Amino acid sequence: MSPVTSPLQISSFVRDVPDFPKPGILFRDITPLLANAAAFGAAIEQFAAAVGPHRVSALVAIESRGFIFGAALAQKLGLPLLLVRKPGKLPRRTVSVSYELEYGTDRVEMHADEIVAGARYAVIDDVIATGGTAVAAAELVEKQGGTVVCCAFLIELDFLKGRERLGGRPVESLLHY
Ligand code: AMP
C-alpha cells in the first residue's frame, strides 16, 4: 500500500454518518482512520508537525476520542499527557469547569496537581464543533495558571464557528468541513 501523507488522503478515512446521534447531525466517524495504521500514523505525523512548533510542556487531551490522538502524539513528541475527563472519573483532587450545552450544562475535570503555572499547553481533541468542550478544557488549564498556546484537532467543522468561540487561542486543524 502506498504511504498516506496528504490531508486529502487522510480525509478519505473519515466516514460521514448522517443523522447520528440524532436527526440532522452529520457525524464525522474517525474509526476507519484508526483502523488503518498508515492513515492513523499519517494523522499523528501531521498533528506533530502542527503542534511541535508551539513548544509546549504537555498535551491536555479531552475525553474520549481526544485521548486516542493525544496519547499517540504525546509519545511521538516525548511529552506528558494530561487528561480532561467527565465528572467523577479522576481519583485525586480535581478542578472543574462547567459549560453550556444546547439543553443544560456539562462539566469537565482535571487533576488539581498537574498544571504548572506559566507553562505552555496544547489542548487536543478529534473534532471541534461548537468549541464548547475545547473552551472548557482551555479554561481548566488557564484557571490554574497555565497558558494554552495551541488547540489542535483532526477535524474542524468550520460552519459551527468553534474557532471564534476559542477567542484568540491559536487553532491547528488537519481537516476542515
Ligand atoms: P463541541 O461542540 O465542539 O463542544 O463538540 C463536542 C464533542 O462532540 C467533540 O469533542 C467531538 O468529538 C464531538 N462532535 C461534535 N460534533 C460532531 C460531529 N459532527 N462529528 C463527530 N463528532 C462530533
Side-chain angles (χ1 to χ4, degrees):
M1 192 183 156
S2 62
V4 179
T5 51
S6 77
L8 198 73
Q9 287 166 292
I10 284 178
S11 69
S12 70
F13 292 89
V14 177
R15 192 183 295 141
D16 294 347
V17 184
D19 299 319
F20 182 87
K22 53 187 181 183
I25 304 290
L26 181 60
F27 192 83
R28 306 294 180 171
D29 174 22
I30 54 129
T31 60
L33 182 124
L34 301 178
N36 184 291
F40 187 22
I44 295 305
E45 291 287 341
Q46 290 180 26
F47 259 114
V51 173
H54 291 281
R55 296 178 292 107
V56 299
S57 298
L59 304 181
V60 175
I62 300 174
E63 185 169 1
S64 58
R65 287 183 297 270
F67 290 177
I68 298 168
F69 294 98
L73 185 59
Q75 282 298 297
K76 171 92 186 159
L77 294 176
L79 292 171
L81 177 69
L82 310 180
L83 305 183
V84 169
R85 299 212 64 179
K86 311 251 165 66
K89 303 280 190 183
L90 292 168
R92 303 198 308 276
R93 190 167 65 84
T94 59
V95 288
S96 69
V97 164
S98 296
Y99 60 102
E100 300 289 323
L101 296 174
E102 193 178 353
Y103 302 105
T105 63
D106 212 340
R107 197 156 54 91
V108 286
E109 297 183 340
M110 277 185 86
H111 275 138
D113 56 3
E114 292 175 332
I115 295 296
V116 176
R120 299 162 64 88
Y121 296 92
V123 169
I124 309 294
D125 205 356
D126 65 330
V127 175
I128 179 168
T130 66
T133 316
V135 169
E139 287 176 354
L140 264 180
V141 172
E142 290 161 357
K143 78 189 266 187
Q144 299 176 86
T147 304
V148 175
V149 295
C150 167
C151 298
F153 309 94
L154 181 77
I155 293 168
E156 180 173 353
L157 304 180
D158 294 342
F159 62 101
L160 291 174
K161 302 192 187 320
R163 182 180 287 257
E164 285 178 22
R165 195 155 168 193
L166 272 165
R169 301 176 185 96
V171 175
E172 305 280 0
S173 302
L174 305 186
L175 301 172
H176 293 265
Y177 293 92

